[in-house]
C-alpha cells in the first residue's frame, strides 16, 4: 500500500508536468512565424505578391516590381492599431509597419495561416484578403 501511494505521489506530478510541457511545445510550434515564410500571391489579384522574409521583413510586389517593404510581426494582445481586439489562443494578428515610415502601419486579424493559404481581415475595415503560398 505504501508503494502504491509513493508511486501515485511521484508519477502523477511527473505526468502533469510532462503534459503541460508537451502542450506548451505543441502550441509554440503552431504559433511559429517560420511557417509564414515564403511568397504569397493574392487570390483576387495575381499581380499582388507578399514575401515574408526570415529577417522580419515583408516585401510587397505588384506586377513583379517591389513596391514597399514592411516590418511584420504576429501579435496576440489588445489593442492592435488602436482597435480593441479579442485575446486568447485562437486569436492572432498580423501587423506590418512601413520600413521607411513606421507610423504607416496595417493590422489584420488572421483567419487562417496554414501551409497553403493566408487569410486575413483588415482591422478598421470590412476587407478580407486571401493569399496562396507559392513556395
Amino acid at each position: 500500500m505504501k508503494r502504491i501511494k509513493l508511486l501515485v505521489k511521484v508519477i502523477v506530478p511527473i505526468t502533469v508536468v510532462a503534459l503541460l510541457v508537451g502542450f506548451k511545445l505543441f502550441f509554440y510550434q503552431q504559433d511559429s512565424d517560420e511557417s509564414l515564410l515564403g511568397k504569397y500571391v493574392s487570390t483576387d489579384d495575381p499581380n499582388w505578391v507578399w514575401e515574408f522574409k526570415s529577417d522580419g521583413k515583408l516585401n510587397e510586389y505588384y506586377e513583379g516590381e517591389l513596391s514597399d517593404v514592411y516590418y511584420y510581426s504576429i501579435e496576440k494582445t489588445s489593442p492592435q492599431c488602436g482597435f480593441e481586439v479579442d485575446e486568447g489562443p485562437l486569436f492572432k494578428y498580423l501587423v506590418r509597419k512601413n520600413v521607411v515610415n513606421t507610423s504607416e502601419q496595417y493590422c489584420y486579424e488572421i483567419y487562417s495561416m496554414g501551409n497553403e493559404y493566408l487569410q486575413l481581415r483588415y482591422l478598421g475595415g470590412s476587407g478580407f484578403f486571401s493569399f496562396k503560398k507559392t513556395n
Side-chain angles (χ1 to χ4, degrees), residues 15-25:
T15 304
V16 169
V17 169
L19 286 172
L20 290 173
V21 169
F23 281 125
K24 189 168 188 150
L25 286 173

Side-chain angles (χ1 to χ4, degrees), residues 27-104:
F27 284 112
Y28 173 76
Q29 289 175 347
Q30 294 294 317
D31 295 339
S32 173
D33 291 350
E34 288 186 20
S35 66
L36 189 60
L37 299 179
K39 285 188 177 183
Y40 293 80
V41 176
S42 170
T43 58
D44 294 324
D45 182 353
N47 294 308
W48 188 26
V49 176
W50 285 4
E51 181 180 20
F52 292 90
K53 310 283 276 182
S54 61
D55 63 358
K57 292 183 181 171
L58 183 159
N59 293 338
E60 183 176 33
Y61 298 91
Y62 196 78
E63 293 182 341
E65 298 291 324
L66 181 64
S67 58
D68 272 308
V69 178
Y70 298 88
Y71 296 113
Y72 75 90
S73 61
I74 305 297
E75 305 293 338
K76 295 183 179 184
T77 59
S78 185
Q80 294 297 327
C81 291
F83 295 98
E84 292 296 319
V85 295
D86 292 323
E87 294 184 68
L90 300 177
F91 299 99
K92 296 180 198 167
Y93 304 92
L94 171 67
V95 178
R96 60 183 185 126
K97 295 181 182 182
N98 193 297
V99 170
V100 175
N101 179 8
T102 55
S103 65
E104 179 189 337

